Amino acid sequence: MFTASEIRSTFLKFMESKGHTIVASSPVVPGDDPTLLFTNAGMNQFKDVFLGFDKRPYKRATTSQKCVRAGGKHNDLENVGYTARHHTFFEMLGNFSFGDYFKRDAIKNAWELLTQHFMLPPEKLWVTVYAEDDEAYDIWNKEVGVPAERIVRIGDNKGARYASDNFWMMGDTGPCGPCSEIFYDHGEDVAGGPPGSPDEDGDRYIEIWNLVFMQFNRDEKGEMHPLPRPSVDTGMGLERISAVLQHVHSNYDIDLFQNLMRAVVKAVEEAGGENVDPNSPSVKVIADHIRACTFIIADGILPGNEGRSYVLRRIARRGMRHGFKLGARDLFFSKLVKAVAKEMGDQYPETRNPHIEEVLRQEEVRFSQTLAKGLDILNEALADGTKVLGGDVAFKLHDTYGFPVDLTADVCRERGVTVDFEGFDAAMEKQREKARATGKFKMAQGLEYEGSPTEFLGYETLAVHACRVEAIYKD
Ligand code: ATP
Ligand code: MG
Ligand code: MG
Ligand code: MG
């Protein structure tokens, strides 16, 4: 059986044998790109090469790229723990052609790797192509031999939640082009429909690999100009292909995650949790979030209230809250950094920096005070035996004390109390209007936010602002 680590090296060596130079992952924090919150795809570090502003000594490259999708246009934060395939932090295996090979070789290489090296049965693989891309369709159908029943033409499908969209754009402007995606059928015992069908959001047919054919440069007016030399950018999630090759249906069942999840259960139980269910969404969330936090801090970000720092804080606190939900009443989250380093330190030695655990420990101490304070306020509000918690109280907890509303709802549920969410939303909206009226300001890193620079706007409001940061993908 392939381990995740062997899959990574098999991919890179295969692409090397096809003339690609192995290039190291860039940091999850993009160096000089204010349009991007975190690195969200392998192509990010080659953006300027595709645009023609930068030249490299190679025309073909391959990477295993550290990615974070927890803000901007690619935000998978809320999916984590609840779908079998989304992480906040994941590794993207990719191969790139800078004006060298194009559709035919991209498709044939991908197929060769999957069917002859990873030995996947062809009948388990489905492909999608952009609706009008007859060229890609014909390569798949006539040259590779994928039958028409398993090739789906997809346009700008905006229906389903994770709807396939086979025209890839770098942003509002820049290189773009049709893409072709490869899906794996996890079998009848998993719910979900094939790509392009109304129930494609399920976990049966999982997208494993996206092949982007960069063909145009889109200008400010939205006009497409053919690139002089068409290029290729591909991305395959390491955790997703690992699930396939390890014959499991969820990313959380692969070797790497199972080891991490065992460490999570142990740490939570040592902190006071009892009989923790090793397969609960909370355990998955914690295992996912500790990886993201470890890598983001390793690349130089500290928890805070703005931009990237805020996103880091949000991920960390979400992880801690899930531990609390499982019964942890003592520090546990920061202690898990070692488990991440154990799993990933060989490939990513930066995870072994002792500074990471210390930063998270301080954040955990701070948040445990927030939790304690929030619980006091909540206890007081519920002392008179009320069965509905006022939206204003929930909002005050959230806004002033950083006590997340979903935690408020959890605690209330345990006591048979409901939360007045309408009142909460109304208070939030009032706050937003106030913030808008206070004016605009520019935050560090050139990100433009609305609101007063002196007033703490509350986590959700900040998250909404953080999401305005343009990611370079259209998703
Ligand atoms: P999905 O539709 O499943 O959300 P996507 O279309 O957003 O995926 P792409 O932007 O095409 O994903 O990224 C290329 C590949 O990276 C995907 O085919 C998948 O294997 C992997 N990938 C994308 N998002 C995630 C994630 N949140 N966690 C793990 N792997 C991911
Ligand atoms: Mg997605
Ligand atoms: Mg997709
Ligand atoms: Mg995709």
Side-chain angles (χ1 to χ4, degrees), residues 448-470:
E448 194 173 316
Y449 291 150
E450 289 174 1
S452 145
T454 49
E455 188 180 23
F456 178 51
L457 298 175
Y459 293 109
E460 201 55 44
T461 318
L462 278 167
V464 170
H465 289 313
C467 289
R468 294 211 184 120
V469 179
E470 293 281 305

Side-chain angles (χ1 to χ4, degrees), residues 69 76 86 475:
R69 291 191 173 184
D76 289 329
H86 287 106
D475 192 76

Side-chain angles (χ1 to χ4, degrees), residues 192-259:
S197 72
D199 52 347
E200 68 169 6
D201 286 355
D203 288 328
R204 173 167 174 184
Y205 298 86
I206 299 248
E207 175 191 329
I208 52 173
W209 202 345
N210 188 357
L211 316 177
V212 183
F213 310 127
M214 287 191 178
Q215 235 167 326
F216 307 102
N217 189 5
R218 192 180 135 112
D219 67 19
E220 294 78 20
K221 292 186 215 121
E223 279 166 26
M224 308 282 198
H225 307 279
L227 290 177
R229 292 185 312 166
S231 295
V232 168
D233 149 35
T234 88
M236 170 158 66
L238 173 66
E239 299 79 3
R240 291 191 193 183
I241 184 67
S242 297
V244 169
L245 296 176
Q246 295 180 10
H247 311 294
V248 293
H249 298 324
S250 161
N251 287 7
Y252 292 94
D253 290 332
I254 67 174
D255 56 334
L256 191 160
F257 262 99
Q258 283 291 300
N259 293 341

